[in-house]
Amino acid sequence: MQLESVTVRRMTLPMLTPFTTSFGTQTHRDLLIVEAHSGGVTGYGECVALAEPLYSEETTSTCALVIQDYILPRLQGLEISHPREVSAALSPLKRNNMAKAAVEGAIWELWAKRENQSLAQSFGGTKDAVEVGLSIGIKPTDADLIDTVGAAVDAGYKRIKIKIAPGRDLQMMRAVRAEFPDAVLMADANSAYTMADLELFQALDELDLLMVEQPLAHDDIVDHRHLQAAIRTPVCLDESIHSAEDARQAIELGSCRIINIKIGRVGGIAESLKIEQLCRQHGIDVWCGGMLETGIGRAHNVAIASLEGFTLPGDTAPSARYWAEDIIEPEVTMDDGVVAVPTAPGLGFSVKQQLLEDLTVSSFSTDWR
């Protein structure tokens, strides 16, 4: 298979409700959708970078530049027998993982369609459904948070993640645990703390949390080792893990007991598969994190969460949680806390091409035919 053309669309989607973390509040999602074309078939990928370099160094704008100027030229004329070869072809380019993942994801979906396989099947997935967790942003008051958690519990989510930040942490989490003594809860700090906050995390031990996610610096695995040794609650690494090699080092050091795999953060599907296999070999729990994706990115997440090593509920909540109208049909839905893994070729969903075009604010294309 050779790529005949690639189109990259920049889109802005308003979110149904603002989403607040330790590094800011999002009211809109600025994103890129990649379309890869060959033999009359189109594959879709989604770039999960944010508009500003707050989660990582990448942004929507830098990813568009890297894709256009550096990634696509390396793929021109490349004979692709399997999408894993895309990751290898792009390996000389340092980092820029979200840009790479967006293009690789589109090519992987294109290949799966041409092979008449679902994405899950092409990844080696074995599950027909995946458990769903919900990520809840920082709320202005404990009462607001308790109401939101209560609605999530009633809806049947299998795990509830609560964003924390200095000043909105221990007291807030205690209030939620007191209200919901049996709920499966976790806290996500998005790198907002240091080892000076050790007593805080030791106090969180009393709340029987499933995990505390990325409590320390975004690029750290050493201090996380010391934190994990000092607390009972499992540490989950997110921002610190950009590759299978990062995961290997973190596991060897004892820096975590859980790893959150985000396809975009680690540079694509091929690298995600390596991390999943490594964690399975070492008994490390894995789950699929979310970046407020549209249905295209969400479908990729559901597919990868069907792998055996994904042992914990992921951030694969239904489309209606975030968007008035998603760009796929049918939208991703949840039944009793699980999402069915599609079996149709590729994403398993149809992309609303006209809506995609209507939402596009800018685009560029390359045509190699």
Side-chain angles (χ1 to χ4, degrees):
M1 179 182 79
Q2 282 190 346
L3 294 179
E4 296 173 357
S5 64
V6 175
T7 298
V8 179
R9 302 178 181 276
R10 188 165 187 166
M11 301 163 42
T12 301
L13 276 72
M15 299 185 65
L16 285 177
T17 57
F19 190 81
T20 300
T21 68
S22 62
F23 53 75
T25 299
Q26 291 188 78
T27 57
H28 292 70
R29 192 69 175 92
D30 183 35
L31 56 92
L32 303 175
I33 297 295
V34 179
E35 302 173 13
H37 308 279
S38 180
V41 180
T42 301
Y44 295 89
E46 180 169 338
C47 181
V48 299
L50 304 182
E52 298 179 81
L54 300 174
Y55 173 82
S56 77
E57 70 276 13
E58 291 183 88
T59 71
T60 317
S61 296
T62 63
C63 286
L65 174 68
V66 168
I67 291 171
Q68 185 170 26
D69 289 358
Y70 303 106
I71 291 178
L72 294 184
R74 285 183 173 269
L75 300 179
Q76 183 175 0
L78 181 68
E79 185 67 34
I80 302 169
S81 59
H82 192 280
R84 284 191 184 90
E85 296 161 12
V86 176
S87 178
L90 300 180
S91 61
L93 302 176
K94 300 298 185 284
R95 298 293 277 269
N96 292 288
N97 284 354
M98 293 179 179
K100 291 177 182 178
V103 176
E104 187 221 35
I107 295 172
W108 204 297
E109 203 243 336
L110 169 64
W111 180 83
K113 282 179 174 174
R114 288 170 57 103
E115 295 293 312
N116 199 34
Q117 295 181 5
S118 68
L119 272 181
Q121 184 181 4
S122 74
F123 296 168
T126 58
K127 305 173 192 170
D128 56 13
V130 297
E131 291 190 328
V132 182
L134 181 65
S135 179
I136 297 176
I138 297 172
K139 301 296 182 183
T141 68
D142 292 355
D144 290 333
L145 178 59
I146 287 170
D147 286 345
T148 305
V149 172
V153 169
D154 292 342
Y157 286 97
K158 301 297 186 183
R159 180 268 294 153
I160 299 168
K161 176 166 76 173
I162 299 171
K163 298 285 186 177
I164 62 173
R168 293 291 292 148
D169 41 45
L170 182 58
Q171 177 182 332
M172 175 182 77
M173 294 299 297
R174 280 173 170 164
V176 174
R177 176 53 83 200
E179 191 73 21
F180 305 99
D182 300 320
V184 180
L185 303 176
M186 60 173 284
D188 183 8
N190 287 114
S191 308
Y193 299 86
T194 71
M195 282 298 291
D197 300 299
L198 176 58
E199 289 185 4
L200 165 70
F201 292 105
Q202 289 174 329
L204 286 172
D205 271 344
E206 71 189 50
L207 301 182
D208 191 28
L209 301 179
L210 179 65
M211 70 187 90
V212 56
E213 184 180 2
Q214 197 67 35
L216 308 180
H218 73 281
D219 56 356
D220 171 77
I221 58 173
V222 175
D223 282 350
H224 279 102
R225 172 191 185 182
H226 299 305
L227 177 63
Q228 182 64 95
I231 64 175
R232 297 190 305 276
T233 304
V235 168
C236 170
L237 289 182
D238 175 359
E239 289 96 322
S240 293
I241 306 299
H242 298 95
S243 65
E245 179 60 17
D246 286 346
R248 182 195 66 78
Q249 293 178 10
I251 293 169
E252 187 173 313
L253 286 172
S255 303
C256 62
R257 297 178 194 160
I258 300 171
I259 288 179
N260 167 354
I261 295 180
K262 291 177 179 172
I263 297 172
R265 192 195 70 238
V266 303
I269 294 158
E271 197 69 16
S272 298
L273 298 179
K274 292 178 185 176
I275 297 172
E276 182 266 349
Q277 183 179 39
L278 177 74
C279 290
R280 198 156 24 93
Q281 291 169 349
H282 290 272
I284 299 294
D285 284 312
V286 165
W287 57 284
C288 181
M291 291 290 290
L292 304 175
E293 293 92 344
T294 70
I296 290 173
R298 202 164 294 272
H300 281 83
N301 289 349
V302 170
I304 204 140
S306 72
L307 290 164
E308 178 187 347
F310 283 76
T311 52
L312 300 174
D315 289 338
T316 49
S319 302
R321 180 80 195 181
Y322 303 101
W323 318 113
E325 181 180 6
D326 206 341
I327 58 177
I328 61 167
E329 56 183 356
E331 296 189 350
V332 177
T333 58
M334 181 180 76
D335 182 21
D336 194 27
V338 301
V339 169
V341 177
T343 57
L347 295 177
F349 300 88
S350 297
V351 175
K352 300 177 184 177
Q353 191 64 34
Q354 187 58 56
L355 178 60
L356 203 62
E357 294 173 9
D358 292 344
L359 292 170
T360 299
V361 295
S362 63
S363 66
F364 61 85
S365 298
T366 183
D367 194 331
W368 296 317
R369 287 170 292 189

